[in-house]
Amino acid sequence: MKPIDALLQVLREEGVTKVFGNPGTTELAFLDSLVEAADIDYVLGVHESAVVAMADGYARATRRPAFVSLHIAAGLANGLVGLLNASRSRTPLVVTAGQQDRRHLAQDPMLSGDLVGLGRAAVKQVFDVQHAHDLPILLRRAFLRAVQPPAGPVLLTLPMDLPAEDADVELPARSVVAPLGPASDISQAAEVLRTAQRPAIIAGDGVGRSDAVAELVTVAEALGASVYHQPLYDGIDFPTEHPLYEGMLPGTHAGIRDQLAGHDVVFIVGCHAFMPHHYTPGSPIPQGVRVVQLDSDLAELGRNFPVAPGLAGDIRTTLVELAKQLPTAPEGRARAIGARTAARRAEMDASALARYGSAPLDPLAAAHALAAGLPENAVVVEEAITTGVLLRQVLRQSRPGSYIHTIGGGLGSGIGMAVGTRMGLGTRPVVAALGDGCTLFGLQGLWSAARHGVPVTFVVLRNGEYRTLKETLDGWGSRTTHTGQYPGLDLGQLEFTKAADFFGVDAVRISSAEQLRQVVAAAGHRDGPLLVDVPISGHRAEGRA
């Protein structure tokens, strides 16, 4: 079997039906082979940031590693933001980056570069393929490594002359690896949780990735525990409409510590050490609070604070076994939490409805109208920064996979991720909530949405500024707060409907909160992409008009 044939066969056996890429000369042999591979589609993106974002969304939707083809050092560099996001969000990707022809690589030809050094910091592992007979086994190994906890992207460098080499290579069979089982010492954890008087649970993104939401609900109800999402969570790790759900933790150690101060035991499940955004001194765990931690990644246990006990094992099956050892909690505990969360949600909804009106919309009203209009089975892809935080407070979602974000922090993923998500889901409507700054970073993704006819509703919440940075500066009490001047933080009121028209995407500008709700409600009936331009009110420094 020739190297290029072995490559295609491995892709087929690993379940790959789509290749996400932006090609160059180093990928020509691969592209040529796809002419006779009708079962593998090439999904073209016009910038690597959109390419990797599409693959990220597709991998999450299909629950399988996505395959990405990048071109040389420059293409890999353009895709690094997406790879960093995928690493943080634990998304399994298998990525190839083309290298120059080995026969003159020592001469430092045009397009060559240090692909291994460039990619190493952004992925789990790099395989530098130098021999044709190594390609099949290293590609097999890459698919395995991509899904092993913690999951993430894996990179293979591939010299352009190697796939077309006239060599006979062996194709290793696909390995079938048994999943992790339940953790040990479950009884010790159950004893700590049983005796808690004011227990809390932190639902991390490992819960959603492990399909363990229902099992965590069972444990929470048995304990009568308050449940919090980790800061800036990537998905539905606990139903946000559940009476025990108390919202998302803030992004600082001080804020988390304040939130957890009323609890005596905290159960942290599938959470990468809270990942705070802004620095504040001290531990996120209040003094005297005991921590029980569960994760499929042994390296997470006790990583930043002491835990007793720390459980390493499959999250879902461990929660199943743990629930068997927990008694029913006192009814009054859950009832008190439910009353508190119901009152908080009613207050938030009333505040949002009171702000409904004409454009520019109040950010909370815009977030509420978007949430209120969502079709029942819709998926929200969120990259809206400040308005996204408000959106999390008004969304009521229970179905796992209904909310997608990236905690990686690399802007511009939202458009591409929404396109890839819709491709992977098949029929569920996808609504992308995007800030205007994030939209500008990933605008090229609209080309792929139009070219491939992907029916995503892109809602651009446009305030004409980097609002989150202005609010952060105000929190510091900086000179910008007093002068009202924010150098480098204003975008202006851009015409996103014109940008949509350039890419061949239909667009509509919103004039009221009710119109936004109606447009979003029709998301499930579209046969092509739509950009929704939503003017929202901008930042105002405290004390200024």
Side-chain angles (χ1 to χ4, degrees), residues 217-476:
V217 168
T218 300
V219 169
E221 291 175 346
L223 292 172
S226 296
V227 182
Y228 304 92
H229 257 127
Q230 71 170 66
L232 297 177
Y233 53 92
D234 273 357
I236 301 298
D237 306 308
F238 195 86
T240 60
E241 61 185 11
H242 195 282
L244 295 176
Y245 180 65
E246 301 240 38
M248 180 180 73
L249 288 174
T252 66
H253 279 184
I256 295 170
R257 192 167 55 243
D258 289 345
Q259 195 80 48
L260 300 180
H263 301 285
D264 59 343
V265 174
V266 175
F267 184 28
I268 301 174
V269 187
C271 180
H272 179 51
F274 292 142
M275 290 187 284
H277 188 192
H278 298 296
Y279 170 78
T280 52
S283 170
I285 307 300
Q287 189 173 5
V289 173
R290 188 166 183 178
V291 176
V292 178
Q293 187 177 9
L294 166 62
D295 209 287
S296 58
D297 181 6
L298 182 62
E300 289 296 336
L301 302 181
R303 187 170 180 268
N304 287 341
F305 38 78
V307 299
L311 306 179
D314 176 68
I315 291 175
R316 189 184 65 81
T317 56
T318 300
L319 290 174
V320 169
E321 295 303 315
L322 177 63
K324 296 176 181 178
Q325 301 185 37
L326 296 176
T328 303
E331 290 185 8
R333 184 189 293 171
R335 190 162 49 244
I337 298 171
R340 183 167 65 243
T341 58
R344 187 184 301 123
R345 291 168 192 170
E347 182 181 358
M348 177 63 69
D349 289 341
S351 177
L353 288 168
R355 303 181 192 205
Y356 271 40
S358 58
L361 304 184
D362 177 89
L364 179 58
H368 190 275
L370 191 159
L374 288 171
E376 184 177 356
N377 62 338
V379 176
V380 175
V381 176
E382 183 267 304
E383 194 187 22
I385 315 301
T386 47
T387 308
V389 173
L390 299 174
L391 182 60
R392 292 166 188 258
Q393 297 178 50
V394 295
L395 279 173
R396 307 286 184 263
Q397 295 176 303
S398 59
R399 183 174 176 179
S402 297
Y403 185 86
I404 296 174
H405 177 71
T406 177
I407 204 165
L411 299 185
S413 67
I415 293 177
M417 191 170 292
V419 172
T421 298
R422 184 63 175 78
M423 285 181 169
L425 290 174
T427 57
R428 292 182 67 184
V430 174
V431 176
L434 310 166
D436 46 358
C438 298
T439 301
L440 289 173
F441 271 88
L443 200 60
Q444 298 95 335
L446 291 178
W447 184 93
S448 295
R451 170 66 175 265
H452 300 288
V454 185
V456 172
T457 302
F458 301 101
V459 180
V460 181
L461 300 153
R462 172 170 58 86
N463 55 23
E465 61 189 359
Y466 292 146
R467 180 169 185 161
T468 185
L469 298 181
K470 291 183 178 182
E471 291 182 353
T472 302
L473 280 169
D474 290 349
W476 289 354

Side-chain angles (χ1 to χ4, degrees), residues 32-85:
D32 189 51
S33 72
L34 293 178
V35 173
E36 298 179 355
D39 54 334
I40 299 177
D41 296 327
Y42 191 94
V43 180
L44 177 62
V46 292
H47 192 277
E48 290 84 357
S49 63
V51 167
V52 179
M54 286 191 292
D56 191 327
Y58 185 79
R60 296 197 207 192
T62 60
R63 311 305 297 270
R64 299 193 310 269
F67 186 72
V68 181
S69 175
L70 302 180
H71 174 52
I72 60 151
L76 176 58
N78 282 340
L80 284 180
V81 169
L83 295 179
L84 288 167
N85 285 341

Side-chain angles (χ1 to χ4, degrees), residues 177-209:
V177 179
L180 291 175
S184 58
D185 294 330
I186 294 177
S187 59
Q188 183 182 355
E191 178 62 25
V192 174
L193 295 171
R194 261 197 312 264
T195 58
Q197 298 300 307
R198 299 175 305 280
I201 294 175
I202 313 301
D205 288 323
V207 176
R209 289 193 299 267

